[in-house]
Amino acid sequence: MHGGRPTFALTRRLGVDAGLTLYELVPEDLADGRQKRFRKANSNHRLTRVAVTDAVPYVQEDPNGVFDFSEVGTPSGRTPSDWQWQDWCALKIATLSNSRQQAVQRLVRDVLDDSGINVDFVTRGEGSAILSEGAGIRLTTAFLAMKRLQKYEKLTTVADSITRMSIEECYYWHAKCRSPTNPNGVKALRTLLTAHL
């Protein structure tokens, strides 16, 4: 999608907004189309749109609109500065904090390791990492499934189950969970993964 460019960002903040926040990076016109589909479907889902530099606060933009990603974790062999980021925005997927953030840590480490990204960018202090589509799809599925869970046992079960899923299963559940016409996708995934607890 989008010429092989990274399409997700993971940012860790401390303080008042503490937590891990996952964003999808998309062109503005694609974000407009998604908002129209959600409105047309009368979906309860809302898209929170922010600037790329707000989603990845460690990116610097020069007066010519060129982004410097040197302070951000990036996939091995990729430089997000190679692509133009004007007319792009970030759609907030979810923020996990407290026990949810603790439960997803192992999955985040695995995803970052598989992507060749130093985990310190989002596990020590504040920082951001840019993720490939496959890595972002896996984390999106986990973040959405864990967002409303309370029990730590269920949280870790969901994270561990999504770690073991094939990428095809992650794409399937991602489509179900983010569809404007399928309001029960996330609930179905939670039930599948935690019904035995």
Side-chain angles (χ1 to χ4, degrees):
M1 182 177 188
H2 306 297
R5 80 169 61 218
T7 52
F8 287 87
L10 182 64
T11 297
R12 182 173 188 241
R13 292 182 175 89
L14 302 175
V16 177
D17 297 337
L20 278 173
T21 305
L22 185 64
Y23 298 93
E24 183 178 9
L25 307 175
V26 297
E28 292 278 358
D29 57 346
L30 183 60
D32 292 340
R34 285 190 190 172
Q35 283 183 316
K36 287 177 187 173
R37 283 196 309 275
F38 280 119
R39 278 195 299 271
K40 187 176 179 181
N42 290 325
S43 174
N44 290 331
H45 295 281
R46 295 289 174 248
L47 296 178
T48 302
R49 186 188 306 201
V50 298
V52 171
T53 52
D54 290 337
V56 190
Y58 309 99
V59 170
Q60 303 299 319
E61 182 178 8
D62 73 14
N64 298 325
V66 175
F67 291 94
D68 174 12
F69 284 84
S70 60
E71 299 296 318
V72 177
T74 57
S76 295
R78 296 298 182 124
T79 306
S81 304
D82 294 342
W83 295 285
Q84 296 297 315
W85 294 90
Q86 292 78 15
D87 301 323
W88 279 63
C89 65
L91 300 177
K92 182 179 177 184
I93 294 170
T95 298
L96 298 181
S97 56
N98 302 324
S99 62
R100 290 177 189 92
Q101 182 179 340
Q102 292 170 359
V104 80
Q105 283 296 335
R106 189 168 48 226
L107 173 60
V108 167
R109 285 180 178 279
D110 289 348
V111 166
L112 294 178
D113 281 341
D114 290 347
S115 300
I117 300 171
N118 183 345
V119 298
D120 290 347
F121 277 106
V122 292
T123 58
R124 295 181 186 225
E126 295 187 315
S128 295
I130 301 294
L131 306 170
S132 66
E133 182 180 279
I137 294 293
R138 186 175 299 280
L139 287 181
T140 297
T141 305
F143 273 55
L144 292 174
M146 297 171 75
K147 189 175 173 184
R148 299 204 193 286
L149 291 176
Q150 299 294 327
K151 293 184 179 178
Y152 193 75
E153 182 181 14
K154 287 186 176 186
L155 290 165
T156 56
T157 298
V158 167
D160 292 344
S161 298
I162 292 173
T163 298
R164 291 188 302 271
M165 278 185 185
S166 69
I167 193 64
E168 292 81 11
E169 289 175 292
C170 289
Y171 270 92
Y172 172 82
W173 283 108
H174 176 266
K176 289 284 188 192
C177 292
R178 297 203 58 204
S179 170
T181 57
N182 186 4
N184 297 320
V186 174
K187 184 177 179 181
L189 177 60
R190 282 188 199 125
T191 301
L192 174 72
L193 300 178
T194 64
H196 65 284
L197 298 178

